């Protein structure tokens, strides 16, 4: 709360001053939003947002998400002014410089106080849905005393034009996420000019159509903003959208309200007049002492509440379990359960689709890991993501653990990121692998943000058959392997599938993809080992009899072809080694010695995967043979397609014989 | 129009019978939609759709797009019943079999009469926006006599849940596309159950919020459907959405209205009862003769109109130009203009960003190719996609040639696909390369559909600087190179940029990506050649002095580093060849002899590209050196980042020296 001598505008102008200074200093940045939303953000932070700047990781803090991430100086100014240790004035000065805590867009892995990385438009609001879901889920598990907080979002016109926002809005409305409150920076300007060059949507009506509580106010009027936030909180069974009519570049004499106000820096005469207009400090990178005092008071406003919460947690008898879940540590017994399952699977020695083996693995894992929350983008039965332990999670039952995301792959992936970043839950989802293309923006952001989530992607090749080339991944495995900090698993049978899950659950700073077949695969790992062989990415699955003359490498459904080819070659007197390569990313992380040992040094190599060769030369060399796809698939029964595209054990043999 | 003795339901039941038979025969397929939408589709085809089954390529036909592509038996039944030569009864029997004209999802490149490939949900409605824009654009150029047709869409709940649908709806509403009419199959069922498991959106209100004309009717009442279509056509300055309340799996006694009705085949007793209920023919794959007669009459209903149109075209004096544009042939003079530009650029010998060189190329090309329609997803100034010849294209000026797509990368890419498939226009668009992730679903569908479009993607590496890792492509070039039938160009200077455009304009069955820098690049091609060197994908840019000891390969902004390294190596007495590789896809299409010649056979190689190595081993081998990225970028000035990530000519030299 501002003191009598320091009003909301004074405090907001401190944001405006720091933003102007930093962007001018950097020579690049987006000044329009910080100038426009400073008033509303000041109301939010000073009167509503529950946080303690000295304890940025307080689990029950409200979350603030700047979906319009280009306006990053707004959040950096707020973090600095309220006293977060992460953003000193030196960092403000170093805006957008190498190694600073103030990069061009807010990055959760760089700056404490930034909840999620934003910049690609629409991601913030979609990620926020996941934060709000995680809050309700944790609330159901731990009660109001430990979990009861809001998720606030500032979103711009650009966020709302992106399709992902619709997926988020519709999902949030359906889930009645009453603790999700979006401030829409309704400035009617985008880069190409007024929004009217490209849009005629009534955003309030659009949100209302998806059952949101909607208000429209003057975003520069602190009383109106406070009243709207109060009303939004009072409306407990709908998410709220508050359209804040603002002037982009507020205070800039000739830029304000124009498309050119979006970016920066503004010309020197414009910023001079801006500073004059608003009465900003003459000296750069300074804050009027009483204004700073008021802001610092905001930063500690909830510190008593935070201390009380810590006492509640300590007294709750749930502290260990709560902390374990928030820290992302697995409960006891997982490894034992994994090994028991692996043993049973290898003994059963039966053929089935890896998507079904994944379902079986999840049946075990969700039974002992209460924070696992599954879901699917309307393909539950096909993705095998629902287990007997996961009832539907929705507004009628927040203790449920299964999200029906609807046909919304992109929103699903973003929501998972938010759930993971919130902490306390471990999300996994399901869709067809071809639709990784729809969710790729959020998959990448999750990889960048180090969000531990698992994307189950079934129907991973032409092996899905009749649905045809629109649904048949060909380049998807390669294109996802190319992405940094993303682990792509393509297990070959029931044992590898469980091992892949075990590895993925242990990757606490990386998302994973489970690439799974629709069709049945023969068991390859028929002798039990407690050791997780998938953890090394690739390994000798079946050694040659005698000295190996060639190395056959397969993944997923094609490991079976490599094993068949090994037998066929043996009959021809050729000794072939079979390597399974369920995770190329992990394999490349092994020592060169290990890689060379597995791949047989300079031995000739043939790889088989029902996808494109792209990327495989790193394993097999330019001289290596490859049995896979060279273009799009086709609609036909799977067996016909494998023959048609010549992905057969005979083809593997042929490639091998050319090279021994 | 149906005859007195054959009513709409009789005709619709012929669709239902063929759909049931075909899906039963295939043992897989989606029966719910054909059963549910047969009545409405019959009204549309028999009373409204302007087409001539004997001339599927009549340019002024109405376009019909089954956005809910899984219901493909609906369109195959319609094509067969109305007499399209492409879909014989034999093809209906071969539904979903290898080589048939009736694949699992409708594919424009397989089946004449299918306008666009659908299946990935939401793509159809978004592609339809492009069809409708192309119609208006062609109308502005050729007048009502030659171009005056509607685009009709059937979309399902799934299409409308996908985010891309929002981008399409908002864009269409803004553009007032009065000739776009969407029939929403409002059956309230998706795969996971009732839509109420995941959605609470009032779709009519949502469309109305984006300024659509909206009606809600009983989709099984032919009078209501006809009245709604009439009203939709009468409403000329808004796109129309007609919510058709239908029963999924209509006629199936226990499945109708259920989630399980979506897929198929239904159990034998269910289809038996379905056939009984609806009075379908007892014999499979037959049509009651008088019903077939009525349908065949529908197929020729507009044949006089079509003949009249052909006469109009012949008499118009515009036939050659119209046909040239529709056939996708370039006008005369392009090569001369390209060469004049290349000569001027090489002589000017100046540094600039390739995005600016692309703008200069477009200035030339849009001046002589009237069918080029540019655009950007709200980054016009950054993408350099607008020229002096391209004024804004919108409802106030359909003769304009520049689309302000809004912040809608996915919708933009899909609309471009539609424009290209409609014919007569050549679309190109602009966004930042990192946001290729947002539009990837439509980029892929365009590649599959053989849609000739160009995606301009600027800010193609860490060279964009301060915006940081969210905006810096790292794996994008690799991930797009992995996609079949997509040509990824990364030109190194002004000359290569124009050559890349020239090649892309000639690719009539493939989309292209123009990967362009934000930052300046030094000129590499300073001696003019009329020959287009980019056309071979990679070529010797600057030969070694003396016999080459090593080959340095670069793309785009890193070609300059390779050239610098060549000089540095020369000073050390090492003779290096520099190869420019602006299009790896095209390079791999060259003869092995040419590839080997350029790459110097077994000479050691070092490649440099400010992206990941993934895919490069196919060029440089596992022993080759690579100077590029290994993870995500960072926020800082570009020069600092190049140093920080060690992408420098010195690093290229170091890698080279290790290998000579």
């Amino acid at each position: 709360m501002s003191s009598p001598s320091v009003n909301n505008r004074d405090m907001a102008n401190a944001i405006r001053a720091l933003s102007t200074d930093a962007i001018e200093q950097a020579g690049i940045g987006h000044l329009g939003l910080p100038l426009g939303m400073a008033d509303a953000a000041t109301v939010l932070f000073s009167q509503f947002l529950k946080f303690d700047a000295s304890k940025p990781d307080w689990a029950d803090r409200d979350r603030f998400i700047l979906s319009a991430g280009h306006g990053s100086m707004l959040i950096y100014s707020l973090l600095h002014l309220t006293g977060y240790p992460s953003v000193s004035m030196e960092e403000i000065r170093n805006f957008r410089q190498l190694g600073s805590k103030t990069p061009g867009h807010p990055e959760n892995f760089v700056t404490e106080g930034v909840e999620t990385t934003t910049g690609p438009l629409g991601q913030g609001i979609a990620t926020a849905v996941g934060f709000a879901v995680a809050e309700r889920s944790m609330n159901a598990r731990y009660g109001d005393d430990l979990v009861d907080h809001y998720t606030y979002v500032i979103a711009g016109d650009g966020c709302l034009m992106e399709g992902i926002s619709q997926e988020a809005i519709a999902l949030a409305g359906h889930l009645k996420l009453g603790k999700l409150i979006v401030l829409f920076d309704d400035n009617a300007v985008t880069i190409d000019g007024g929004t009217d060059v490209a849009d005629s949507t009534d955003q309030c009506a659009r949100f209302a159509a998806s059952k949101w509580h909607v208000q429209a106010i003057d975003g520069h009027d602190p009383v109106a903003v406070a009243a709207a936030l109060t009303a939004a909180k009072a409306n407990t069974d709908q998410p709220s959208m508050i359209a804040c009519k603002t002037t982009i570049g507020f205070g800039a004499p000739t830029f304000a309200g124009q498309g050119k106000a979006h970016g920066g820096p503004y010309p020197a005469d414009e910023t001079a007049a801006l500073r004059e207009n608003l009465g900003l400090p003459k000296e750069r990178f300074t804050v009027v002492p009483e204004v700073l005092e008021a802001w610092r008071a905001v930063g500690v406003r909830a510190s008593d509440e935070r201390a009380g919460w810590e006492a509640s947690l300590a007294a709750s008898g749930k502290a260990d379990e709560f902390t374990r879940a928030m820290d992302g540590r697995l409960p006891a017994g997982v490894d034992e359960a994994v090994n028991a399952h692996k043993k049973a699977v290898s003994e059963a020695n039966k053929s089935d689709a890896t998507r079904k083996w994944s379902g079986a693995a999840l049946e075990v894992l969700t039974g002992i890991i209460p924070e696992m929350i599954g879901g699917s983008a309307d393909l539950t039965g096909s993705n095998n993501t629902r287990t007997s332990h996961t009832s539907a999670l929705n507004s009628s039952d927040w203790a449920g653990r299964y999200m029906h995301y609807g046909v919304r792959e992109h929103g699903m992936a973003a929501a998972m990121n938010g759930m993971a970043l919130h902490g306390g839950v471990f999300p996994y989802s399901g869709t067809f692998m071809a639709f990784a293309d729809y969710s790729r923006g959020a998959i990448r952001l999750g990889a960048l943000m180090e969000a531990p989530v698992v994307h189950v992607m079934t129907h991973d090749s032409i092996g899905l058959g009749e649905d045809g080339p629109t649904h048949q991944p060909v380049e998807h495995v390669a294109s996802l392997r190319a992405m940094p900090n993303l682990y792509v698993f393509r297990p070959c049978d029931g044992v590898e599938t469980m091992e892949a899950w075990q590895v993925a659950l242990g990757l606490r700073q990386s998302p994973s993809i489970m690439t799974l077949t629709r069709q049945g695969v023969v068991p390859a790992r028929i002798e039990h080992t407690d050791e997780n062989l998938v953890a090394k990415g690739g390994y000798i699955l079946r050694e040659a009899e005698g000295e190996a003359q060639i190395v056959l490498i397969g993944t997923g459904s094609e490991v079976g072809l490599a094993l068949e080819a090994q037998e066929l070659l043996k009959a021809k007197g050729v000794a072939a080694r079979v390597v399974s390569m369920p995770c190329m990313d992990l394999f490349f992380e092994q020592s060169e010695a290990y890689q060379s040992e597995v791949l047989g040094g300079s031995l000739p190599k043939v790889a088989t995967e029902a996808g494109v060769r792209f990327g495989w030369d790193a394993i097999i060399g330019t001289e290596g043979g490859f049995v896979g796809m060279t273009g799009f698939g086709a609609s036909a029964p799977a067996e016909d397609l494998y023959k048609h595209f010549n992905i057969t054990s005979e083809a593997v043999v042929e490639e091998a014989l050319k090279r021994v």
Side-chain angles (χ1 to χ4, degrees), chain A:
Chain A
M1 190 68 66
S2 49
S3 74
S5 63
V6 176
N7 65 23
N8 198 83
R9 177 57 54 83
D10 296 330
M11 294 174 75
N13 281 349
I15 297 170
R16 294 185 169 106
L18 293 180
S19 300
T20 306
D21 295 348
I23 291 166
E24 196 171 56
Q25 170 106 340
I28 185 169
H30 298 84
L31 189 50
L33 185 138
L35 293 178
M37 283 300 284
D39 296 318
T42 298
V43 173
L44 174 63
F45 270 64
S46 66
Q47 300 179 47
F48 291 87
L49 195 76
K50 180 173 76 169
F51 72 106
D52 181 341
S54 72
K55 288 283 265 183
D57 61 349
W58 173 22
D60 199 34
R61 70 191 180 278
D62 289 342
R63 266 62 168 182
F64 171 68
I65 292 170
L66 182 64
S67 189
H70 52 275
S72 57
M73 270 311 304
L74 177 75
I75 193 166
Y76 299 144
S77 299
L78 286 161
L79 294 178
H80 173 72
L81 290 166
T82 55
Y84 277 81
S86 50
V87 184
S88 64
M89 191 64 90
E90 192 58 25
E91 296 292 349
I92 299 282
R93 285 180 187 272
N94 282 329
F95 179 55
R96 290 181 161 237
Q97 302 309 303
L98 193 61
S100 78
K101 298 288 179 198
T102 49
H105 291 84
E107 289 165 7
N108 65 301
F109 53 96
V110 168
T111 315
E112 210 170 28
V114 171
E115 303 286 355
T116 183
T117 299
T118 50
L121 293 175
Q123 294 291 339
I125 188 171
T127 307
V129 172
F131 275 92
V133 167
E135 191 272 345
R136 285 294 83 193
S137 171
M138 292 289 281
N139 175 275
R141 278 153 63 199
Y142 295 101
D144 287 344
D145 285 353
L146 295 186
V147 184
D148 187 14
H149 54 264
Y150 285 82
T151 304
Y152 294 99
V153 178
I154 289 180
D157 293 291
C159 291
L160 302 191
M161 286 194 203
E162 292 286 3
I164 189 176
S165 70
Q166 180 64 22
E167 301 184 17
I169 292 164
L171 186 58
H174 176 71
L175 291 174
K176 303 181 181 173
L177 292 171
K179 287 174 173 287
L180 174 63
I181 298 175
V182 174
L183 299 171
F184 164 37
D185 179 18
D186 184 13
N187 62 36
V189 167
T190 62
I191 294 173
D192 273 6
T195 48
D196 60 359
V197 304
D199 198 39
S200 303
T201 297
D202 176 340
Q203 296 292 358
C204 289
R206 176 188 169 207
F207 277 76
S210 286
K211 309 294 183 286
W212 284 55
H213 174 244
V214 174
Q215 303 171 77
I217 58 163
D218 173 0
H220 297 297
D221 175 354
V223 176
V225 174
L229 285 167
T230 302
K233 291 178 72 170
N235 194 288
T236 55
D237 62 352
Q238 289 177 297
S240 275
M241 188 275 254
I242 303 169
C244 302
K245 181 55 80 183
T246 65
T247 302
I248 192 169
F250 180 89
T254 66
F255 276 40
Q258 312 283 319
K260 60 187 175 183
H262 173 86
Y266 299 170
D269 56 346
E270 187 75 12
T271 45
L274 164 72
R275 290 191 174 96
E276 184 70 28
N277 276 354
L278 300 177
L280 306 184
K282 296 226 182 314
E283 196 179 341
R284 303 292 183 266
F285 301 106
T286 58
V287 184
V288 178
E290 53 268 38
V291 172
L292 184 60
E293 192 183 341
W295 268 119
R296 290 289 153 92
V298 167
V300 297
R301 182 168 48 86
S303 61
D304 287 352
E305 189 176 352
R306 189 259 310 156
W309 179 87
E310 286 170 351
S312 296
L313 177 64
S316 68
K318 304 170 189 169
D320 286 352
E321 174 63 8
F322 183 87
T323 307
R324 182 194 66 72
M326 286 300 290
D327 290 353
R329 284 175 279 119
L330 294 177
V334 172
D335 290 345
E336 293 75 5
V338 164
N339 286 328
H341 176 80
K342 278 168 58 181
K343 193 150 188 290
V345 171
S346 58
E347 281 169 4
N349 190 11
K350 86 180 169 104
S351 295
D352 212 338
T354 54
R355 66 185 167 119
K356 293 193 178 164
W357 286 124
S358 174
L362 286 169
E363 183 64 31
V364 173
L365 296 170
T366 56
I368 51 176
I369 306 175
E371 62 269 29
M372 287 185 81
I373 295 184
S376 171
D378 198 45
L379 290 167
T380 295
S382 297
N383 299 145
N384 301 86
T385 38
R386 189 158 179 180
T387 76
S388 69
H389 310 289
T390 57
S391 58
L393 184 164
N394 55 40
S395 59
S396 325
D397 183 11
W398 289 115
R401 290 168 52 199
Y402 194 81
M403 291 273 287
H404 288 286
Y405 285 102
V407 189
R408 304 185 182 107
E409 298 84 5
H410 203 178
M412 174 171 72
M416 286 215 298
N417 288 341
M419 292 160 76
L421 293 176
H422 177 281
V425 298
F426 188 104
Y428 68 92
S429 66
T431 186
F432 286 163
M433 177 143 219
F435 305 147
D437 286 344
Y438 276 39
S439 50
R440 196 172 169 99
I443 293 172
R444 184 186 205 249
L445 200 60
L448 178 63
M449 295 196 295
E450 303 172 357
V453 306
V454 180
H455 306 270
V456 173
M457 296 192 164
T458 68
H459 297 58
D460 71 351
S461 77
I462 53 165
L464 66 85
E466 292 86 347
D467 271 345
T470 51
H471 286 51
Q472 289 162 355
V474 168
E475 75 284 17
H476 297 76
V477 173
S479 80
L480 291 164
R481 282 184 185 137
M483 192 179 287
N485 197 35
L486 176 71
Y487 290 85
V488 181
F489 294 92
R490 192 163 189 260
C492 72
D493 70 357
V495 173
E496 275 199 359
T497 302
M498 179 49 114
E499 290 186 344
W501 270 107
Q502 188 179 26
V503 176
L505 286 169
L507 292 168
R508 299 309 307 170
Q509 294 189 292
S510 306
S512 302
I513 307 270
M514 288 291 156
T515 310
L516 303 169
T517 67
R518 172 182 185 236
Q519 77 275 26
V521 294
V522 295
R525 290 279 298 282
I526 46 186
E527 284 176 36
H528 175 69
T529 63
D530 271 3
E531 187 187 357
N532 185 320
L533 301 181
V534 168
K536 289 188 170 167
Y539 62 94
I540 300 172
L541 173 64
R542 200 187 293 164
E543 186 52 286
E545 289 185 19
E547 193 171 346
Q549 298 165 269
I550 188 151
V551 180
L552 310 179
I553 308 152
T555 78
S557 39
E558 285 66 66
V559 168
L561 300 183
L563 290 170
E564 278 176 28
Q566 184 185 42
E567 292 300 316
L568 294 170
L569 285 164
K570 191 169 121 187
K572 292 175 192 288
V574 175
R577 168 188 294 177
V578 173
V579 168
S580 181
M581 184 72 67
C583 184
M584 208 183 270
D585 312 281
L586 284 169
F587 185 70
F588 287 135
E589 291 179 7
Q590 307 308 308
S591 69
E592 280 191 34
Y594 177 79
Q595 293 183 44
S596 178
E597 181 195 325
V598 170
L599 297 177
S602 60
L603 280 181
K605 302 173 217 321
V606 175
T608 179
E609 181 171 78
V612 295
R613 178 172 177 140
F614 199 83
W616 271 99
D617 288 83
I619 302 278
I620 59 177
T622 55
E623 302 302 314
F626 185 75
V627 174
M629 297 290 289
T630 57
F632 293 110
S635 171
E639 316 83 73
D640 295 354
L641 292 173
Y642 269 89
K643 276 186 205 129
H644 176 71
F645 291 109
N646 199 29
I647 304 177
T648 61
S649 52
E650 290 78 15
V652 175
V653 167
E654 193 182 324
E655 290 298 316
L657 291 177
K658 284 184 202 164
R659 288 170 176 79
V660 289

